[in-house]
Amino acid sequence: MKKISVIIPAFNCEKYIERCISSLLCQKGAELEIIAVDDGSTDKTLEKLLKYEEKITVLSIKNSGAAGARNAGLSCASGDFLMFIDADDYLKDDAVSRIA
């Protein structure tokens, strides 16, 4: 089974991030490595990410913008494929099985 590294740059998205992560955790069809990068948030984004720390990789960096957060995620990604998703997006239940 192929492994997909999913990188989520997250900045001040406490209202959306849990929906995003939940939509990834229920995916079937490929092994997902979920990497969420808190980009210096000033709200409770990091706190919400840390709730998932046993299931996903959480990185915290000084605010660097979306590109900087994506690059930080790339530095620890180990999948066969890469996927980027924004923190305010989510996937339908069968999204990964359709592309895997």
Side-chain angles (χ1 to χ4, degrees), residues 18-91:
E18 290 177 299
R19 183 176 187 188
C20 176
I21 292 171
S22 294
S23 78
L24 292 168
L25 291 174
C26 72
Q27 295 296 312
K28 307 254 187 290
E31 179 186 350
L32 294 186
E33 170 188 44
I34 302 168
I35 304 166
V37 183
D38 177 66
D39 188 26
S41 295
T42 57
D43 65 359
K44 295 184 179 178
T45 298
L46 181 58
E47 182 180 315
K48 292 194 176 211
L49 290 173
L50 291 174
K51 290 180 186 177
Y52 296 93
E53 197 169 28
E54 291 184 16
K55 297 178 182 178
I56 71 172
T57 300
V58 177
L59 303 176
S60 182
I61 62 171
K62 183 178 145 190
N63 186 263
S64 304
R70 287 184 181 103
N71 287 334
L74 283 171
S75 71
C76 69
S78 63
D80 300 303
F81 300 98
L82 292 172
M83 180 177 184
F84 296 100
I85 185 169
D86 290 329
D88 60 347
D89 292 335
Y90 62 94
L91 298 180

